[in-house]
Amino acid sequence: MKKAHRNNSPLALMFLDLDEFKAVNDTLGHDMGDVLPKEVTQRICACVREADTVARLGGDEFTVILADLDERYQNVELVAEAILRKLVEPFSLADNVVHISASIGITFYPEDAVTFDELLKNADQAMYAAKDQGRNRYHYFTPVMQEAVQKRMRIANDLRVALADNQFQLYYQPIVELATGAIRKAEALIRWQHPEYGLISPAAFIPIAEETGMIVEIGDWVFRTAVNRVAHWRAAYCADFQVSINKSPVQFAGRGVSHDIWLNQLTELGLPGESVVIEITEGLLLDASNSTKDKLLIFRDAGIQVAIDDFGTGYSCLTYLQKLDIDYLKIDQAFVFNLTPASKNMALCTAIIVMAHELGLKVIAEGIETNEQYELLAAAGCDYGQGYFYSRPVATEEFEELLKGAHPKFAL
Ligand code: C2E
Ligand code: MG
Ligand code: MG
């Protein structure tokens, strides 16, 4: 760095991590795991100039320092590409042929940082971005990336106090029976009023809550709040009203203590299982372990219904529809958006509805925003609809106003 500063020429730091190293280590044993990094080092060295520096930090992590860069940093890209190309060529280790690849993060001195620690951290973050995007590629560090990482850490920390501090709120969005226009169900959707950032969308914080495990506590709070509401609504407005609750795959992992707590809460409120629909995603069922299936069956036995959320956007593995006794398919809003007669989306919606009905399932269309979308879906035989056309998700009091029938659209 001192030399680069003196010569007024930037340098690049690359952080390289092998993608499948652990698998090699585990399958071939540690002896071969020791040989591989040596071979990797030779290949990396073959891609850089004499004056550049290649180092192994340990394990499967390497750094490369490229000095004397041209102004457009063009050679950095070329070197990264050469290294990636070299490393995907098969390795012969004793009698085995091994295939690996690498992910590379790149940062520049002095542009991105001027201390060694910062540079290394940047390169490491950029390497993770390369892994996230599918491995066997390189990624540059960007300040935006840095901000994103910091904001993520901040949100993860703040999530810990959000529950105790009552910063969450549950909104409800009506689910309407298309044939009659009556509100039969509501989806509970969480809202986070952050003291500094304001309203944070669940799409932004649920993934972080999932990563940190906070989703379990948050999910329990959502369930408790929602079933208390539905008890009231069933008593006051509509005896067979249902509340639909989103459940993240993470809540199915682990020991699943929540299930007992949840079922007890229903019993305490004198509610039948039918007052709740659990929304899960296709992804959960794709790699559904037996314990996931068992937990779903516990719900089933208690009478709780199950909906597949965002249907059609994941890897649909249709066998589970039958095997797991699913009750509803929720057509993802991507299919409802731009719905016009004879469009491809129309064909997909119709096909989903026909298939679901043949299997004895009901269909809920998400994201209905216009009268035309409603009419097309109703004509196709869709059972329920949900979307801004009827109402946005609203706070409890406002939802109760809707239930009282104050909203003219429900008289369709
Ligand atoms: P989702 O379960 O698919 O919920 C539907 C999302 O679509 C909601 O976004 C809703 O506000 C939005 N939406 C409804 N109607 C329309 C429409 O007509 N047009 C458009 N453009 N959007 C519409 P929201 O509330 O931001 O929630 C996003 C996602 O966050 C949810 O997707 C769900 O996956 C997750 N989520 C929300 N609450 C919870 C929760 O309590 N637990 C868990 N695990 N996930 C939750
Ligand atoms: Mg949902
Ligand atoms: Mg959905």
Side-chain angles (χ1 to χ4, degrees), residues 173 187 190-191 202 222 246 309-310 333 366-367 369 387-388 393:
Q173 187 177 33
E187 178 171 5
I190 195 168
R191 297 288 177 265
V222 168
N246 292 285
D309 205 352
D310 308 335
Q333 53 194 44
E366 292 189 80
E369 293 187 356
Y388 297 168

Side-chain angles (χ1 to χ4, degrees), residues 187 246 279 281 308-311 330-333 366 386:
E187 178 171 5
N246 292 285
E279 296 194 9
T281 48
I308 308 280
D309 205 352
D310 308 335
F311 184 77
K330 296 192 77 170
I331 300 182
D332 191 76
Q333 53 194 44
E366 292 189 80
Q386 175 183 355

